[in-house]
Amino acid sequence: MDQEQILSRISSMVDDERTLRDSLASGAIDEATERARLAVLERELDQCWDLLRQRRAKAEFGENPNAARVRPTAEVEGYQS
């Protein structure tokens, strides 16, 4: 996945997140459903942002950005800022 594809995926997931929140507000889904779906989206977003950061770092230091790989959720979620 190249940088533009990653950014497009992130944008799509942000739109999905907005749709979920709107669905909750309109009563189309309940809070438990929203929380469960949001949790999945948040994990996937974290992985996408991590992949994007990896690609940018590799490019900055003269490495092949295509060598960046999606890391497991448990690894990405364990990072501290």
Side-chain angles (χ1 to χ4, degrees), residues 17-32:
E17 184 178 32
R18 223 175 276 122
T19 299
L20 278 173
R21 294 188 191 284
D22 290 344
S23 294
L24 176 65
S26 70
I29 61 173
D30 61 25
E31 285 186 41

Side-chain angles (χ1 to χ4, degrees), residues 2 4-5 13 15 20 22-25 35 37 40 42-43 52 62 65 76-77:
D2 67 22
E4 292 307 313
Q5 290 171 316
M13 285 188 282
D15 290 343
L20 278 173
D22 290 344
S23 294
L24 176 65
R35 275 193 307 269
R37 290 182 184 169
V40 170
E42 288 170 359
R43 287 189 298 270
L52 188 60
V76 174
E77 293 294 308

Side-chain angles (χ1 to χ4, degrees), residues 42-54:
E42 288 170 359
R43 287 189 298 270
E44 290 176 5
L45 270 167
D46 287 345
Q47 285 179 304
C48 282
W49 282 116
D50 176 66
L51 181 59
L52 188 60
R53 283 189 294 272
Q54 285 182 63

